[in-house]
Amino acid sequence: FFFFFFFQAEDGIRDVERSRGLGDVYKRQVQEEVEAKAEPEAKEEAKKESEAAKRFRDSIVGRGPRSILGLERQFKVYTKDDVLEIEDFKKAVENFRLKVSQENLEEVFKELDKSGEGKILFDDIMSVILGRMTPRRKQLVDAAFTNIDKDNDGVANKEDIARIFEGWRHEDAKSGKVRADDMLNDVLETLNNATSLHRGAKCDGRYLREEFGKYFEYISVCTPNDEEFEKLFTTLWRVDVNNLPPIAPTEKPAEIQKEEVKEEPKEEQIQVKEEGKTPAKVSPTKDSTADQEDE
């Protein structure tokens, strides 16, 4: 299990779960406009991604989050001091029986081998596989954890997750194709495995906010469609998107910044303008003349 989809009408007025009136429809429209401006960096980064990296990732993510965890575990076996050498990189992929060409492997490795010494960083190869979650997706994950962490101690346990997770709302559970309890167990097992892998020790069934977010990086890369990713949270994790604040743009364009930075008129200029007088030319001082000569 790595994602569930639950049909919701796109029209905000007909969508009972996500709309409670025209005001909410307008809020959602504003939110979408803000998000479009807030995530230019992530979109630009996706455009710059090489074909080799994309082919490598696609060969993995189609197998789901558990497979990504399995490959990451293989990489860790061969990693020494956070570094992977070319032969170890190939061995890890071969042991995992990943269907990818040697040419593709070498292309990806060469792109990441900035020094040309035949070595890459473990974190770099995992960044190629997982990519980066957009600010909106991170906001949804954070909202889900906040729903779980009712005592606000920064820790969620299995009981907390079971209390919030609503697998019964998924269409497959409603149709009888899968049991809601099985969905929950699948989530907890994958979350447990991911947390154990990153801690380097067996998980005790308690998860920090950061660890919960890390788990959803695997879910995110396997769910490329933003609407489907959002439905995962509105359907199963009790996240009300209408209550989420707009995401602030990461950085304003340079042109806008220049327009906003305007020099305030000096007090003398304001007085002259009010009196209707022409400002007198100011003769350079002795100090300023000396500065000009130095130049």
Side-chain angles (χ1 to χ4, degrees), residues 27-260:
K27 276 168 43 179
R28 283 170 52 197
Q29 290 173 344
V30 172
Q31 172 72 29
E32 288 168 2
E33 291 175 3
V34 172
E35 288 167 17
K37 297 175 182 177
E39 300 173 1
E41 289 181 16
K43 292 179 180 178
E44 197 61 35
E45 200 171 276
K47 290 179 184 176
K48 293 178 181 178
E49 181 183 40
S50 71
E51 274 300 316
K54 187 176 184 303
R55 287 199 309 272
F56 182 67
R57 182 195 293 124
D58 290 346
S59 67
I60 302 167
V61 299
R63 296 169 61 172
R66 287 189 178 184
S67 289
I68 299 175
L69 276 169
L71 181 58
E72 184 175 0
R73 191 175 288 109
Q74 282 292 323
F75 284 149
K76 278 187 173 292
V77 170
Y78 289 98
T79 296
K80 300 171 185 175
D81 297 325
D82 296 325
V83 170
L84 265 171
E85 296 186 4
I86 180 66
E87 292 306 318
D88 290 334
F89 176 63
K90 289 181 178 180
K91 284 178 185 176
V93 173
E94 183 181 347
N95 289 347
F96 192 66
R97 297 179 183 177
L98 190 64
K99 293 180 179 179
V100 57
S101 68
Q102 290 294 311
E103 181 185 7
N104 189 197
L105 285 179
E106 290 172 2
E107 285 176 336
V108 172
F109 194 93
K110 186 177 180 180
E111 288 178 7
L112 296 176
D113 183 15
K114 307 266 191 319
S115 64
E117 297 178 354
K119 299 177 181 180
I120 61 174
L121 294 175
F122 171 83
D123 288 343
D124 286 348
I125 187 60
M126 289 312 302
S127 293
V128 168
I129 296 171
L130 295 175
R132 186 176 67 169
M133 281 203 295
T134 63
R136 174 60 169 179
R137 291 188 177 213
K138 290 179 180 178
Q139 184 186 49
L140 291 165
V141 173
D142 194 59
F145 189 88
T146 299
N147 286 345
I148 296 168
D149 184 22
K150 287 302 180 185
D151 56 3
N152 201 31
D153 64 352
V155 178
N157 58 42
K158 293 182 178 181
E159 291 73 23
D160 294 331
I161 292 173
R163 175 175 49 81
I164 291 296
F165 186 78
E166 297 183 324
W168 60 269
R169 295 184 62 196
H170 185 254
E171 55 187 5
D172 284 350
K174 289 181 177 180
S175 64
K177 291 181 180 179
V178 64
R179 296 173 63 247
D181 287 345
D182 291 338
M183 291 183 181
L184 174 61
N185 291 334
D186 212 346
V187 169
L188 292 173
E189 183 179 347
T190 308
L191 175 58
N192 215 57
N193 290 340
T195 304
S196 297
L197 180 62
H198 294 117
R199 287 184 186 176
K202 187 175 180 180
C203 180
D204 59 356
R206 291 160 53 84
Y207 317 97
L208 301 176
R209 185 182 291 269
E210 182 181 350
E211 293 168 336
F212 186 76
K214 185 66 180 177
Y215 157 75
F216 272 102
E217 288 184 14
Y218 301 93
I219 309 299
S220 180
V221 72
C222 295
T223 316
N225 186 284
D226 288 336
E227 291 183 4
E228 291 171 352
F229 190 78
E230 183 173 302
K231 286 176 184 176
L232 170 67
F233 291 88
T234 58
T235 304
L236 304 176
W237 296 96
R238 302 187 189 180
V239 173
D240 185 353
V241 294
N242 294 309
N243 290 334
L244 299 180
I247 299 171
T250 54
E251 187 176 348
K252 294 182 180 179
E255 297 84 341
I256 298 178
Q257 291 179 353
K258 287 179 181 178
E259 288 178 7
E260 290 181 349

Side-chain angles (χ1 to χ4, degrees), residues 275-293:
E275 295 172 5
K277 297 178 182 179
T278 304
K281 293 183 179 180
V282 180
S283 300
T285 63
K286 184 176 180 180
D287 292 339
S288 61
T289 303
D291 291 340
Q292 292 174 1
E293 288 175 358

